[in-house]
Amino acid sequence: DIQMTQSPSSLSASIGDRVTITCRASQSISTFLNWYQQKPGKAPRFLIYEASILQSGVPSRFSGSGSGTDFALTISSLHPEDFATYYCQQSYSTPTFGPGTKVDIK
Amino acid sequence: VQLQESGPGLVKPSQTLSLTCAVSGGSIRSGGYYWSWIRQHPGKGLEWVGYCDYSGSTYNPALKSRVTMSVDTSKNQFSLKLTSVTAADTAVYYCAAYNFGSGSSPDWFDPWGQGTLVTVSS
């Protein structure tokens, strides 16, 4: 199995802050990396696929980057609705998720 | 495509957990998806359980000995059975479509069902 790690596990930020979450794979996965947002009591929402392509309807303040083993999700300016937990997921082999990064209000 | 899970919310230890996911807004036979189950232990992250289509299934190695998934094309739904459950199987279970996008292999999970909490307790 390909193991996924994320850092930080949690962060506190303010409205308008630029936030970057990193995701690392235990082996190269090219750009087979997706990002999801989950709010309490809700199913995950699909945000970004193939490392950097925004799903339709996702605000442009979200962006993804990376290839190989190291990836990042950036929110350029935090909005109130962005406080949530974010997960990465690799699809290079049988799917695995990162442990999540919780973004909460400072 | 929309997905909706159903099944018992309480299962006794050592028994079998059985869930169904109804697919609406499209045919389960239309292709382009692997039909998947993902679970989330309380307060924890996401764990892929497995996926299936009409030709077969693939399971998480950690659960493989206890999991069976199947597709019922006549009812446009797919199902999960997890045998010999323990308290460690208590989780929110999501069904999701593992989407091929424009590629030749599955890539992302979308859409998801709303999730259903299954508690294992006597």
Side-chain angles (χ1 to χ4, degrees):
Chain A
D1 279 8
I2 297 176
Q3 307 302 316
M4 307 300 293
T5 57
Q6 289 181 233
S7 61
S9 58
S10 65
L11 66 90
S12 296
S14 301
I15 302 297
D17 282 355
R18 179 183 180 90
V19 166
T20 297
I21 298 165
T22 63
C23 174
R24 176 166 289 178
S26 59
Q27 67 182 73
S28 178
I29 58 170
S30 184
T31 57
F32 291 95
L33 190 284
N34 308 308
W35 290 97
Y36 302 83
Q37 174 194 67
Q38 187 180 34
K39 297 181 179 179
K42 299 294 187 182
R45 174 195 179 193
F46 172 50
L47 296 178
I48 289 173
Y49 62 101
E50 294 173 12
S52 62
I53 304 173
L54 259 61
Q55 167 71 337
S56 174
V58 174
S60 59
R61 63 182 180 273
F62 290 89
S63 64
S65 63
S67 66
T69 60
D70 294 310
F71 302 87
L73 171 70
T74 297
I75 309 171
S76 60
S77 177
L78 267 176
H79 286 208
E81 60 268 30
D82 300 337
F83 292 97
T85 300
Y86 293 86
Y87 295 93
C88 59
Q89 171 248 324
Q90 64 81 18
S91 57
Y92 183 83
S93 65
T94 53
T96 49
F97 291 88
T101 295
K102 184 177 182 180
V103 178
D104 62 20
I105 301 173
K106 183 184 288 184
Chain B
V1 172
Q2 294 86 43
L3 306 176
Q4 177 67 59
E5 305 91 348
S6 62
L10 181 64
V11 181
K12 289 181 168 50
S14 80
Q15 294 191 343
T16 296
L17 179 160
S18 297
L19 296 174
T20 297
C21 182
V23 178
S24 60
S27 171
I28 203 167
R29 302 177 61 178
S30 62
Y33 303 107
Y34 281 161
W35 306 103
S36 307
W37 291 94
I38 294 160
R39 70 181 185 178
Q40 186 168 36
H41 295 103
K44 302 296 184 183
L46 301 165
E47 179 184 30
W48 169 70
V49 176
Y51 58 68
C52 64
D53 68 357
Y54 53 84
S55 64
S57 52
T58 301
Y59 305 133
N60 185 323
L63 300 169
K64 185 176 182 179
S65 63
R66 299 193 291 130
V67 173
T68 303
M69 295 180 186
S70 60
V71 170
D72 186 338
T73 55
S74 67
K75 295 182 179 179
N76 218 40
Q77 64 187 33
F78 60 103
S79 65
L80 166 70
K81 292 188 187 300
L82 181 65
T83 62
S84 304
V85 297
T86 70
D89 295 308
T90 293
V92 174
Y93 286 76
Y94 295 100
C95 58
Y98 197 18
N99 200 314
F100 278 67
S102 59
S104 60
S105 60
D107 199 344
W108 60 82
F109 293 101
D110 184 64
W112 297 61
Q114 65 185 24
T116 186
L117 174 63
V118 179
T119 301
V120 178
S121 175
S122 55

